[in-house]
Amino acid sequence: YQKAIGLPGGMLELHLYFCEVAMDFSMDYGYASEGFFDAVYLQFKKAAEALGKVSEEQKEDALDRLYDLCHIASNVGYGLEGDMGDFLAEANPDDERNRD
């Protein structure tokens, strides 16, 4: 997709979807490994970095989903929630959800 079309909104959706499916899989099957969570975190970072390239409406939807992913990560350990939350707060310092 990135090479064929690479639209920012589509790339953002792909990164978010990857994270959501991976976290659901981990929660459903108890799967956890460092490499697995490194891949999830990388896609999470790419999604957060793509926020500045999309419309405000897409950005708000994506932020909701990113914060949901942080919440889910609190149940899996490996420090993933902290890493995700720290990165999201750094990327969006004015977001009121960073104060939770």
Side-chain angles (χ1 to χ4, degrees), residues 41-59:
Y41 181 67
L42 176 64
Q43 294 301 312
F44 183 89
K45 281 181 62 174
K46 287 182 178 183
E49 290 167 349
L51 293 174
K53 301 175 185 172
V54 298
S55 70
E56 196 61 36
E57 183 179 325
Q58 286 177 303
K59 180 179 178 177

Side-chain angles (χ1 to χ4, degrees), residues 7-68:
L7 296 174
M11 291 305 301
L12 174 60
E13 179 62 32
L14 284 173
H15 297 308
L16 286 169
Y17 185 72
F18 177 96
C19 293
E20 290 166 345
V21 170
M23 295 304 289
D24 286 345
F25 179 83
S26 179
M27 295 302 296
D28 288 348
Y29 297 101
Y31 185 78
S33 76
E34 187 174 344
F36 179 82
F37 290 126
D38 285 347
V40 173
Y41 181 67
L42 176 64
Q43 294 301 312
F44 183 89
K45 281 181 62 174
K46 287 182 178 183
E49 290 167 349
L51 293 174
K53 301 175 185 172
V54 298
S55 70
E56 196 61 36
E57 183 179 325
Q58 286 177 303
K59 180 179 178 177
E60 285 304 314
D61 176 61
L63 277 170
D64 288 342
R65 292 167 68 185
L66 288 166
Y67 281 103
D68 287 345

